[in-house]
């Protein structure tokens, strides 16, 4: 008897030990339990506090989209090991006990990589959906821009957005996904109507994500599109931004690439959610029958300062612009200032604008007015690019030296006003310097800066895409800095650029090694990535500040992410 009891105790001990060995870590169980408890109330998303693989804006939109979906979808995002296969998703489904689709993602740190190791688990219960359906939709989201699987899945399962997108026509040209408006109230159908009020033939759809083949969804918007018509499908991509794909009739005077770069900063379009109104305004300005110079001229009949709605420095408020306008009128009743979008002007008027430097200002000016037009590269926070001025010589000189940095709209207006109001305040012109005795060091420094600006301006006149990130974009700021600051700025930029060079080289090698994809859509995606890489090479060669390198690295990350999404042939 004692032997039997001992044997039984040994067996129980072994079973308990085995159970401890195969049980998931307590941290994992806690997170999955917390997710199950949160998701028991209905479809939605649960994200662990330290999960880094998704941004808050995407989560907001997922919650709004899932709340309206017919097929229940529940997503949990964990930060620990979750076992093999689909066990975690199956456990979540069992714990919640409701029909639907269950998706579990995890990320855990790795001692051999800066990036976490990730995995996923899927489960389906009680709904007419198979794992093959999920895999097919996931495959449709390969490449960029292609949308986001977590947001296109509801439409893939329920087919509730594609009919609305296909219904967009000349009679009913706009559609906005209700989930987009629920998550971001400023983005509604009225925004599309207002943005494109002056554009006669455009169709636009703004959605969280369309399921299935993207080209098919896009093609559905093109039925009976006029020869001079444009259709744009804007859907969520990732990292707090939408992407955009275009269709255009043969009589539209711009390439698809031009439309993409105006709204999305590059052919790999990126439209940050908080910049959607500005990007729509840029596209409208490109397609409108009235060019931006005419619009500015009309606006300046009623105010001293006009800022195109596609431009912002994200610091200067409309109220502050109005205050600057009143101060400018008090100082010089004939003075007018306009801030216009450089990429739109380049496409509409040519690059560079034909004629003298004053040509753009002369298009805007009414008789007897002093007019300064500052062109702005509106992407990545925006920055001043060129200045065109006409009128009295003193005003033209003051406008030529006026500049701003971060809050470039307000700072430029403040600087211009100060130069107008000061008795001797028209800046360190070359004429003024002619009467100053310069030592050898000062003269050498002045000539060096002039040579730098000459090289930059020469490049600016030849390539629009290079100019956007070249030193010409900051020439006025550099010229106004003390000599030691100029040397420091350029040296810092050079060091940062060297540090980014290795990543740029590796990306180029990897792009070159990719064999041509079999799918036409994947092949186009690869061509876009390679074209974007050429732009990055130009940007790297022409950095003038550390901020330029920060933006370069951000774009490198986006291209790398797009490359990682491309399917690779399976080696046998």
């Amino acid at each position: 008897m004692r032997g039997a009891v001992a044997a039984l105790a040994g067996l129980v001990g072994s079973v308990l030990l085995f159970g401890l060995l195969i049980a998931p870590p307590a941290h994992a169980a806690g997170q999955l339990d917390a997710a199950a408890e949160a998701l028991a109330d209905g479809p939605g998303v649960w994200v662990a506090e330290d999960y880094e693989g998704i941004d808050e804006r995407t989560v907001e939109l997922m919650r709004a989209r899932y709340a309206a979906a017919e097929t229940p979808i529940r997503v949990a995002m964990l930060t620990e090991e979750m076992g093999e296969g689909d066990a975690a998703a199956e456990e979540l489904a069992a714990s919640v006990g409701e029909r639907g689709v269950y998706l579990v993602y995890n990320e855990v740190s790795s001692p051999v990589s800066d990036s976490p190791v990730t995995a996923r688990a899927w489960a389906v219960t009680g709904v007419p959906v198979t794992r093959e359906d999920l895999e097919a939709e996931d495959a449709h989201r390969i490449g960029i821009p292609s949308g986001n699987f977590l947001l296109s899945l509801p439409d893939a399962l329920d087919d509730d957005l594609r009919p609305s997108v296909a219904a967009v026509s000349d009679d009913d040209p706009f559609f906005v996904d209700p989930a987009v408006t629920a998550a971001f109230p400023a983005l509604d159908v009225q925004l599309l109507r207002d943005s494109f009020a002056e554009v006669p033939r455009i169709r636009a759809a703004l959605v969280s994500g369309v399921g299935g083949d993207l080209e098919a969804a896009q093609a559905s918007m093109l039925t009976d599109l006029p020869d001079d018509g444009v259709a744009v499908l804007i859907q969520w991509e990732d990292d707090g931004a939408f992407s955009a794909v275009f269709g255009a009739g043969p009589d539209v005077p711009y390439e698809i690439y031009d439309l993409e770069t105006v709204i999305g900063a590059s052919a790999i379009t990126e439209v940050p959610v908080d910049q959607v109104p500005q990007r729509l305004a840029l596209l409208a300005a490109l397609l409108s029958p009235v060019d931006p110079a005419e619009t500015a001229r009309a606006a300046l009949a009623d105010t001293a300062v006009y800022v195109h709605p596609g431009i912002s420095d994200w610091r200067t408020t409309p109220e502050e612009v109005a205050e600057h306008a009143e101060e400018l009128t008090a100082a010089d009743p004939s003075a007018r200032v306009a801030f216009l979008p450089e990429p739109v002007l380049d496409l509409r008027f040519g690059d560079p604008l034909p004629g003298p430097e004053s040509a753009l200002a002369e298009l805007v000016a009414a008789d007897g007015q002093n007019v300064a037009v500052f062109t702005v590269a509106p992407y990545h926070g925006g920055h001043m690019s060129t200045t065109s001025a006409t009128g009295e010589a003193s005003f033209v000189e003051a406008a030529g030296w006026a500049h701003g940095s971060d809050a470039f709209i307000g700072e430029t207006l403040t600087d211009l006003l100060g130069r107008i109001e000061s008795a001797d305040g028209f800046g360190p012109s070359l004429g003024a310097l002619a009467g100053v005795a310069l030592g050898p060091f000062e003269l050498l420094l002045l000539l060096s800066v002039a040579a730098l600006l000459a090289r930059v301006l020469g490049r600016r006149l030849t390539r629009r895409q290079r100019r956007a990130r070249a030193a010409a974009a900051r020439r006025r700021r550099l010229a106004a800095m003390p000599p030691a600051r100029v040397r420091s700025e350029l040296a810092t930029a050079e060091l940062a650029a060297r540090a980014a060079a290795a990543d740029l080289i590796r990306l180029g090698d990897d792009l070159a090694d990719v064999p041509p994809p079999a799918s036409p859509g994947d092949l186009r995606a690869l061509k876009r990535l390679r074209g974007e890489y050429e732009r990055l090479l130009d940007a790297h060669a022409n950095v003038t500040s550390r901020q330029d390198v920060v933006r370069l690295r951000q774009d490198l990350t986006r291209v790398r992410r797009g490359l990682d999404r491309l399917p690779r042939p399976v080696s046998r």
Side-chain angles (χ1 to χ4, degrees), residues 269-349:
T269 55
E270 181 182 31
V271 185
V273 62
D274 55 353
Q275 297 181 28
V276 170
Q278 287 76 21
R279 299 297 182 86
L280 295 178
L282 293 175
L283 180 62
L286 181 66
L287 298 174
S288 172
V290 181
D291 70 62
E294 293 180 52
T295 303
R297 180 187 176 100
L300 291 175
D302 300 319
T303 182
V305 178
Y306 170 73
V307 180
H308 188 276
I311 293 171
S312 177
D313 60 17
W314 312 106
R315 294 170 176 82
T316 306
T317 66
E319 293 75 17
E320 289 171 335
V321 171
E323 292 175 4
H324 284 301
E326 294 177 0
E327 294 170 353
L328 186 62
T329 298
D332 181 355
S334 68
R336 300 290 186 274
V337 175
F339 295 86
L340 300 182
E342 178 187 43
V344 174
L345 295 173
D346 285 349
L347 288 168
R348 295 198 63 138
F349 295 145

Side-chain angles (χ1 to χ4, degrees), residues 474 477 489 492-493 496 543-551:
R474 302 180 182 274
R477 189 169 69 91
E489 285 275 322
T492 301
V543 296
T544 59
S545 76
R546 188 171 182 177
Q547 287 79 8
D548 287 345
V549 181
V550 171
R551 296 179 188 123

Side-chain angles (χ1 to χ4, degrees), residues 93-443:
S95 298
V96 173
E98 298 287 344
R99 58 185 283 273
V101 175
Y102 293 82
L103 311 175
V104 179
Y105 296 83
N106 83 322
E107 59 181 29
V108 293
S109 59
S110 168
V112 297
S113 174
D114 293 332
S115 300
V117 176
T118 61
R120 70 186 183 190
W122 295 343
V124 178
T125 177
V127 292
V129 178
T130 66
R131 184 180 178 86
E132 287 71 25
D133 294 332
L134 302 181
E135 291 175 344
E137 178 57 23
D138 192 40
H140 280 306
R141 306 283 73 83
I142 293 173
I144 50 175
S146 60
N148 187 307
F149 167 74
L150 293 172
L151 283 159
S152 66
L153 183 60
D155 183 54
L157 302 181
D158 301 339
D159 195 27
D160 58 349
L161 286 185
R162 278 168 291 179
S164 297
V165 171
V168 169
S169 65
D170 289 346
D171 295 330
D172 190 11
F174 305 122
F175 171 72
V176 176
D177 177 358
V180 171
T181 304
F184 314 117
L187 306 185
D188 58 10
V189 72
Q190 190 60 46
L191 172 65
L192 296 184
R193 294 192 186 105
D194 293 343
S195 298
F196 298 119
E198 304 300 324
V199 182
R201 294 177 180 83
I202 186 168
R203 303 172 182 178
L206 176 62
V207 299
S208 55
V210 289
D213 182 66
L214 178 59
E215 291 187 8
Q218 181 187 9
S220 71
M221 299 179 65
L222 305 180
T223 303
D224 297 325
L225 184 72
D227 287 348
D228 59 349
V230 170
V232 56
L233 174 59
I234 305 170
Q235 68 173 343
W236 193 264
E237 198 72 23
D238 55 22
D239 293 339
F242 293 90
S243 62
V245 292
F246 284 88
D251 293 343
V252 174
Y254 307 108
E255 301 291 336
I256 294 293
Y257 173 84
D258 297 328
L259 302 175
E260 291 170 337
T261 53
V262 163
I263 197 173
S266 72
I268 304 176
T269 55
E270 181 182 31
V271 185
V273 62
D274 55 353
Q275 297 181 28
V276 170
Q278 287 76 21
R279 299 297 182 86
L280 295 178
L282 293 175
L283 180 62
L286 181 66
L287 298 174
S288 172
V290 181
D291 70 62
E294 293 180 52
T295 303
R297 180 187 176 100
L300 291 175
D302 300 319
T303 182
V305 178
Y306 170 73
V307 180
H308 188 276
I311 293 171
S312 177
D313 60 17
W314 312 106
R315 294 170 176 82
T316 306
T317 66
E319 293 75 17
E320 289 171 335
V321 171
E323 292 175 4
H324 284 301
E326 294 177 0
E327 294 170 353
L328 186 62
T329 298
D332 181 355
S334 68
R336 300 290 186 274
V337 175
F339 295 86
L340 300 182
E342 178 187 43
V344 174
L345 295 173
D346 285 349
L347 288 168
R348 295 198 63 138
F349 295 145
D351 177 31
L353 184 70
E357 289 186 3
S358 61
L360 181 57
E362 290 168 0
L363 289 175
V364 174
D367 291 340
Q369 286 183 335
N370 292 324
V371 173
V373 177
F374 299 96
T375 66
V376 175
Y379 312 114
H380 307 295
H383 59 265
M384 301 282 294
S385 186
T386 64
T387 303
S388 176
T390 187
E392 299 172 359
S394 58
F395 176 85
V396 171
E397 187 173 6
W401 282 100
H403 69 281
S405 54
D406 292 335
F408 55 83
I409 292 175
E411 291 175 5
T412 298
L413 291 170
T414 298
D415 192 15
L416 176 62
L417 183 63
R419 294 176 186 278
I420 291 174
E421 291 177 336
S422 65
D424 56 350
F426 293 120
S429 67
L430 294 179
L433 289 175
V436 178
L438 297 178
F441 174 77
E442 289 84 356
L443 182 59

Side-chain angles (χ1 to χ4, degrees), residues 22 24 81-91 106 119-122:
I22 66 172
E81 299 290 349
M82 62 180 190
E84 298 293 331
D86 293 323
E90 293 167 354
E91 182 181 345
N106 83 322
R120 70 186 183 190
W122 295 343

